[in-house]
Amino acid sequence: MKIGFIGLGNMGGPMAANLAKAGHEVIGFDRVQVSIEGVALAGSGAEAAAGADVVITMLPNGEILRAVADEVVPAMAAGATLVDCSTVDVDSARAVADQANSAGLRFVDAPVSGGIGGASAGTLTFMAGGTTDAFATAEPLFTIMGQKAVHCGDAGAGQAAKICNNMILGVTMIGTCEAFALADKLGLDRQKMFDVVSTSSGYSWTMNAYCPAPGVGPQSPADNDYRPGFAAELMLKDLRLSQQAATSADADTPMGQLAEALYARFVEDEDGQGKDFSAMLPRFVSRRRG
Ligand code: NAD
């Protein structure tokens, strides 16, 4: 396939490289200078999109996605497919889907889970929204860039799945961290706490696979001085998207709301910026009951 790839940052760069390595013709564009193995560079998004069978975007947010779509959609050939892999708000995903469909294009929103390591290794999980036809066109590319792709429903369903998953993740990480901080104050050994909880009803991915206590459980960012991993500010971005969606859908999400407020305080007022999202544990340990 001829693939246009717009947004060649931490995630997009290795994803584009994997598509090129698999034998696809990839023409990339980023607003900053980059060099990606096997990827030819265009002078603009429109140039990368012209004549492509599929255009993939991997951009920071919904506002930038909308601006890029305004430029790219008119440049794409009728019948081509636009695949947005960025994490953006559901409303932006649906607006760009409408814009693409009106121009005779197919659209898939396909945010990912798996981080920079998964992007390099080609082991991402894609959660996709769009028509069956659009998903079928994009699926072979998901298989190259990832290990699993779930077709979640119509346009926007991929973004909905992503923010619901990450709302659970943020809430669970906070619960795991505050429980460790309480255990400390009760004189309970952290390893014993892990041994019990990881095999009891309090188990979770944040406890069992990504334990926030250094030296306990499998290797995680806690063992690397809380260097990310998944940075607290990215968790804040996703929690904000979840609360924006909850407001727009009139959904009651009190735990998600509290998680957003706690991560906002951590990132903006408490030096959490640039730390892994599991660094909530030392934060709780250093505080007294408020
Ligand atoms: P990044 O900032 O490294 O990459 C974004 C790229 O987009 C940058 O290179 C930037 O120059 C480029 N860009 C911005 N505006 C542009 C424009 N108008 N035209 C062309 N290029 C433009 O971010 P990232 O870590 O690669 O994340 C990309 C997306 O993936 C985000 O939506 C993020 O939430 C999501 N995501 C990231 C991770 C992660 O661990 N980094 C995990 C899952 C999902």
Side-chain angles (χ1 to χ4, degrees):
M1 276 191 205
K2 191 173 173 199
I3 300 168
F5 205 117
I6 300 169
L8 300 165
N10 290 323
M11 297 291 289
M15 290 164 71
N18 283 335
L19 292 171
K21 212 189 302 166
H24 292 290
E25 182 187 351
V26 185
I27 302 168
F29 173 71
D30 197 291
R31 61 170 186 188
V32 303
Q33 187 82 32
V34 288
S35 161
I36 312 288
E37 204 180 335
V39 177
L41 294 178
S44 68
E47 198 183 314
D53 302 300
V54 173
V55 173
I56 301 177
T57 48
M58 194 50 168
L59 298 162
N61 59 47
E63 198 183 324
I64 293 174
L65 169 66
R66 287 179 194 241
V68 167
D70 285 342
E71 182 194 341
V72 159
V73 165
M76 288 174 68
T81 305
L82 176 59
V83 180
D84 178 47
C85 293
S86 331
T87 303
V88 303
D89 56 289
V90 176
D91 291 343
S92 290
R94 291 192 172 140
V96 173
D98 287 345
Q99 185 181 5
N101 293 338
S102 307
L105 306 173
R106 296 174 171 144
F107 177 82
V108 184
D109 55 294
V112 303
S113 169
I116 297 165
S120 297
T123 56
L124 295 169
T125 296
F126 289 83
M127 33 219 118
T131 62
T132 309
D133 275 2
F135 180 73
T137 306
E139 198 178 16
L141 305 181
F142 296 152
T143 312
I144 295 165
M145 297 182 284
Q147 60 184 357
K148 191 172 172 63
V150 180
H151 187 198
C152 299
D154 293 338
Q159 297 296 348
K162 168 85 185 175
I163 55 171
C164 288
N165 180 75
N166 280 20
M167 187 172 81
I168 296 171
L169 179 62
V171 167
T172 314
M173 180 56 85
I174 289 170
T176 303
C177 291
E178 68 181 22
F180 263 119
L182 171 61
D184 282 355
K185 293 199 173 159
L186 297 174
L188 177 62
D189 179 72
R190 285 182 171 184
Q191 183 63 51
K192 300 292 181 205
M193 162 89 169
F194 177 84
D195 292 346
V196 170
V197 175
S198 66
T199 53
S200 298
S201 48
Y203 84 91
S204 65
W205 185 85
T206 57
M207 174 60 84
N208 292 38
Y210 203 94
C211 183
V216 177
Q219 274 283 321
S220 70
D223 300 307
N224 192 23
D225 208 17
Y226 294 100
R227 276 190 278 279
F230 185 46
E233 59 269 25
L234 290 180
M235 174 47 81
L236 175 58
K237 172 192 169 182
D238 292 356
L239 286 167
R240 283 190 166 139
L241 290 175
S242 76
Q243 294 317 293
Q244 194 179 329
T247 303
S248 143
D250 194 22
D252 189 25
T253 56
M255 300 299 285
Q257 217 171 343
L258 199 51
E260 181 203 352
L262 271 169
Y263 273 105
R265 210 188 317 162
F266 184 51
V267 168
E268 289 163 4
D269 307 332
E270 296 173 351
D271 212 23
Q273 172 100 19
K275 292 188 180 145
D276 189 74
F277 82 121
S278 61
M280 271 286 167
L281 174 52
R283 176 202 181 271
F284 281 121
V285 167
S286 69
R287 295 175 68 86
R288 299 171 65 85
R289 188 167 180 78

